[in-house]
Amino acid sequence: GLAAAWASLSPGARSAPLLLTLAGSALLGTAYSAPPVRLKRSPFLAAFCIIVVRGALVNLGFYAFAKQALGLERAAGALGLDTPGLVAASFFGVFGLVIALMKDVPDVLGDEMRGVRSLSVRLGPTRVLRWATALLLSLLGGTSAAFAVGTIVAEAAAVVFRRACLSVAALWALSFAARSRRDVDATDPQGVFDFYMDVWRIFYGAYLCLP
């Protein structure tokens, strides 16, 4: 809310993509946690909210804002819908689903006591953690493989180098996630929480790889 207000008042930040991103994030964030809506009460609506904010709104919105600030919006259209923007939104959208699956696993005992029917409570923490881990490892492995193939078809040396670096980074993240997940018991809240924090580290580390 404060960020949206600042963007609306600051002359340098009066950008439609930026304002829409901040306003949309604020509205969905409020609907996610505040009564009477509280989307987080439904595992499916909560996952949808996280995926939309983390995948589409934040990435496409700020990407379009950066393009506009650099005078490159014509190359991507008003919404920044070019290939790099859509690839980033897709990656972080799937990553958002991983986070949506994992976020309630450490709190399953508390949710059961409060009568919160999270996905982990309904299906069991072991199954949900297994699904989230498989999706995360598949995402990172697929990303590494895709950029590796991209180095073969690229012609410019700079593009080859950039894609090779991204492939190696995704492969390292895959190895890090697999090591962090090893020996974690889904019924151990602290162990799951530590792994969950490592997932967030990978998530924010991925932003450092954006061009």
Side-chain angles (χ1 to χ4, degrees):
L2 291 175
W6 168 81
S8 65
L9 295 174
S10 175
R14 288 175 183 172
S15 160
L18 179 61
L19 288 172
L20 288 173
T21 300
L22 295 176
S25 298
L27 287 173
L28 284 175
T30 302
Y32 177 82
S33 57
V37 182
R38 297 196 70 188
L39 295 177
K40 67 179 182 180
R41 291 180 297 186
S42 166
F44 302 104
L45 292 177
F48 173 78
C49 185
I50 292 172
I51 293 168
V52 168
V53 173
R54 293 290 179 182
L57 269 179
V58 171
N59 290 284
L60 289 179
F62 283 117
Y63 182 71
F65 170 61
K67 284 275 191 179
Q68 187 179 75
L70 295 172
L72 302 174
E73 68 272 13
R74 291 182 180 179
L79 297 177
L81 299 179
D82 60 0
T83 300
L86 291 174
V87 168
S90 299
F91 175 87
F92 286 104
V94 176
F95 215 130
L97 178 57
V98 172
I99 291 171
L101 288 171
M102 282 197 62
K103 68 181 182 64
D104 294 321
V105 176
D107 302 324
V108 64
L109 294 179
D111 287 343
E112 285 181 337
M113 293 176 61
R114 294 190 300 269
V116 177
R117 298 288 294 168
S118 67
L119 195 64
S120 296
V121 171
R122 297 182 186 194
L123 302 179
T126 300
R127 181 183 299 179
V128 174
L129 183 61
R130 184 168 61 246
W131 288 354
T133 302
L135 184 59
L136 175 63
L137 297 183
S138 298
L139 174 65
L140 296 174
T143 300
S144 179
F147 279 113
V149 172
T151 63
I152 299 174
V153 299
E155 297 180 357
V159 175
V160 171
F161 177 75
R162 184 165 61 246
R163 290 178 180 177
C165 289
L166 291 173
S167 177
V168 172
L171 187 62
W172 179 89
L174 171 65
S175 175
F176 175 74
R179 291 197 307 271
S180 178
R181 173 65 176 86
R182 189 180 302 140
D183 299 328
V184 172
D185 186 347
T187 60
D188 174 21
Q190 186 59 50
V192 175
F193 180 78
D194 291 341
F195 175 52
Y196 182 55
M197 290 296 99
D198 283 340
V199 170
W200 275 107
R201 292 183 180 96
I202 296 172
F203 180 87
Y204 285 116
Y207 275 110
L208 299 177
C209 297
L210 292 176

